[in-house]
Amino acid sequence: MVEIDTILIKVASQCNINCSYCYVYNMGDDSWANMPNFISQETIESITKELADLKSAQQRPFAIVLHGGEPLLLGSRRLEFLLHSLRTAIPDSYCISIQTNGMLISDKILDLCSKYKTSLSVSLDGPESIHNANRVGHKGEGTYSRVIEGIDKLKSHPDASFLFAGLLAVIDPTSSPHRIYNFFKDLGAPNVDFLYRDGNHDKLPFGKASFQSTEYGAWLVELLDVYLADQNPIKIRILDDIVRLALGGIGIKEGVGVTDFGIAVIDTDGSVTKNDTLKSSYKGADRFLAHWNIHTHRLIDIFSSSEFADAHKLQRPASLICQTCPELQICGGGMPLHRWKSGSQYDNPSVYCNDQLLIINKVKSILCGIQQCT
């Protein structure tokens, strides 16, 4: 059986905003339209039973991420039923977190999350002009002010040190890394997880001129300079992971390094799918041929199947360029969705290959200089 690190549960198929770069709604896959708006009580009960069985079958703890759409659209009553149900299956030592746009955070929601030991990560791209360029409402209106209101409530809660897991930010390569970093630090974010923009060889990410260009890598190099100059920095996952890997350690999240992470997604109707970010490759890219569903199949059986194992192996690059690259142990080939190209499918280097090499070489040169000094 593939050991599972994270189960992402889609609790809402709708969202209260319309981010221009969203892989769920705006990159060609429309499967969300055929899903229930919200996860049902029956689906929650089926998930709870299966999680309890998985806990017994797998010694290593796994994490639960509540996702959407916007998961807080559930409202406090349905959210409490969900969190209570999950905690009957897995103890407090198992991480449960919510990825939210932050606009629906309320005192009642926070109290529930505190009660059931559930943290929140908020999506925020940077200062108002940067954030509002893409994270907009359904009428094109900016969402920044309401997100900040939600973050302020989160920070002021008595259990904020646990509840506030950090921020998720999508990189805008035209922005100033210095300005972005200082904004997040002044905001009091405990950490920031910067993400590459979704895209592939057929649909180049925003701001990237070609496969050979390094706009995102140059942005990260400048961010690294700012980061290292700060004597009391906030945590930045992608930079920390690259430094850790360059020193011979392991990464803590998919996208860099060669550690395999067992990931499964459960949709609002109970369907079990591959990593949902694959939706950006083509319609149905995240779907298994077996059409598994939590109501009719056991998670243990799914995770023991050859088809699930094949999907799990997709994390490792098949491209000979990647397999023979001296930086593979650090880069890991990047995210599978970034390798897609019609005809060769995922058998390609990441569209961010040269960006990855630029930031990796920068980190290695700094570490080499430090070692020479000591």
Side-chain angles (χ1 to χ4, degrees):
M1 185 178 76
V2 173
E3 281 206 323
I4 299 300
D5 296 276
T6 303
I7 296 180
L8 189 149
I9 303 175
K10 296 279 188 175
V11 301
S13 63
Q14 305 291 314
C15 191
N16 55 334
I17 65 174
N18 186 33
C19 301
S20 62
Y21 49 56
C22 181
Y23 65 85
V24 177
Y25 304 107
N26 292 319
M27 294 199 75
D29 188 294
D30 59 0
S31 58
W32 61 271
N34 297 317
M35 291 291 152
N37 289 344
F38 301 107
I39 193 170
S40 68
Q41 181 174 325
E42 292 74 22
T43 300
I44 292 171
E45 290 170 347
S46 294
I47 290 173
T48 299
K49 178 182 179 300
E50 290 302 312
L51 292 181
D53 289 346
L54 180 62
K55 175 181 174 294
S56 298
Q58 177 179 298
Q59 292 186 351
R60 188 170 69 181
F62 51 85
I64 299 294
V65 178
L66 305 183
H67 209 271
E70 170 50 46
L72 296 188
L73 282 171
L74 277 179
S76 58
R77 180 179 59 81
R78 282 181 293 200
L79 180 63
E80 180 164 26
F81 178 81
L82 172 61
L83 295 181
H84 174 77
S85 299
L86 291 175
R87 282 300 179 207
T88 64
I90 55 176
D92 289 353
S93 57
Y94 282 58
C95 174
I96 300 177
S97 63
I98 298 174
Q99 184 61 52
T100 175
N101 59 41
M103 294 171 61
L104 300 177
I105 291 175
S106 66
D107 292 336
K108 189 168 185 179
I109 292 287
L110 293 174
D111 288 343
L112 286 175
C113 290
S114 177
K115 178 180 178 180
Y116 294 106
K117 291 299 176 186
T118 299
S119 61
L120 297 95
S121 176
V122 180
S123 299
L124 176 68
D125 288 345
E128 186 168 7
S129 61
I130 300 298
H131 180 89
N132 283 348
N134 295 288
R135 294 190 182 273
V136 297
H138 290 281
K139 296 181 180 179
E141 72 278 14
T143 61
Y144 173 84
S145 60
R146 289 189 61 189
V147 176
I148 294 298
E149 287 177 12
I151 291 174
D152 287 342
K153 288 181 182 178
L154 178 53
K155 288 163 52 181
S156 64
H157 192 275
D159 199 15
S161 61
F162 166 78
L163 291 173
F164 193 8
L167 299 175
L168 183 149
V170 176
I171 296 172
D172 179 349
T174 67
S175 66
S176 163
H178 190 276
R179 180 187 177 205
I180 297 291
Y181 179 84
N182 287 335
F183 169 77
F184 284 138
K185 184 167 184 181
D186 291 343
L187 190 64
N191 62 76
V192 183
D193 193 0
F194 284 102
L195 303 182
Y196 286 130
R197 191 77 64 95
D198 290 342
N200 52 52
H201 294 272
D202 290 344
K203 297 179 289 187
L204 287 175
F206 165 81
K208 192 159 174 58
S210 68
F211 170 72
Q212 290 78 20
S213 67
T214 56
E215 295 88 350
Y216 284 78
W219 194 93
L220 287 171
V221 165
E222 187 176 342
L223 179 67
L224 179 66
D225 288 337
V226 178
Y227 189 41
L228 295 178
D230 188 350
Q231 294 185 354
N232 186 30
I234 58 176
K235 294 180 180 180
I236 298 179
R237 195 273 308 172
I238 189 171
L239 298 181
D240 290 345
D241 267 4
I242 291 174
V243 171
R244 192 180 298 111
L245 287 159
L247 291 170
I250 61 174
I252 62 172
K253 192 174 180 180
E254 60 174 339
V256 291
V258 293
T259 301
D260 289 324
F261 295 94
I263 299 170
V265 178
I266 303 175
D267 228 321
T268 54
D269 69 343
S271 298
V272 180
T273 72
K274 306 173 189 177
N275 193 322
D276 64 330
T277 60
L278 295 176
K279 291 176 184 287
S280 65
S281 302
Y282 61 91
K283 184 176 179 178
D286 63 326
R287 297 287 154 171
F288 288 106
L289 295 176
H291 300 293
W292 290 310
N293 193 289
I294 200 77
H295 295 292
T296 53
H297 299 83
R298 299 186 66 208
L299 284 181
I300 293 171
D301 293 338
I302 294 171
F303 300 153
S304 300
S305 69
S306 58
E307 189 178 1
F308 190 87
D310 288 342
H312 179 65
K313 290 175 184 176
L314 188 61
Q315 288 184 41
R316 301 280 64 82
S319 168
L320 184 62
I321 294 173
C322 292
Q323 292 180 0
T324 57
C325 178
E327 304 301 350
L328 177 61
Q329 295 298 311
I330 302 175
C331 172
M335 295 285 285
L337 72 143
H338 297 142
R339 302 180 205 142
W340 175 259
K341 185 178 183 180
S342 299
S344 52
Q345 299 183 318
Y346 297 102
D347 189 9
N348 309 284
S350 167
V351 72
Y352 289 110
C353 173
N354 291 294
D355 301 275
Q356 293 272 79
L357 291 176
L358 187 66
I359 183 62
I360 288 170
N361 287 331
K362 173 69 171 181
V363 167
K364 291 179 72 174
S365 68
I366 292 173
L367 292 176
C368 182
I370 292 173
Q371 289 172 347
Q372 288 176 352
C373 289
T374 57

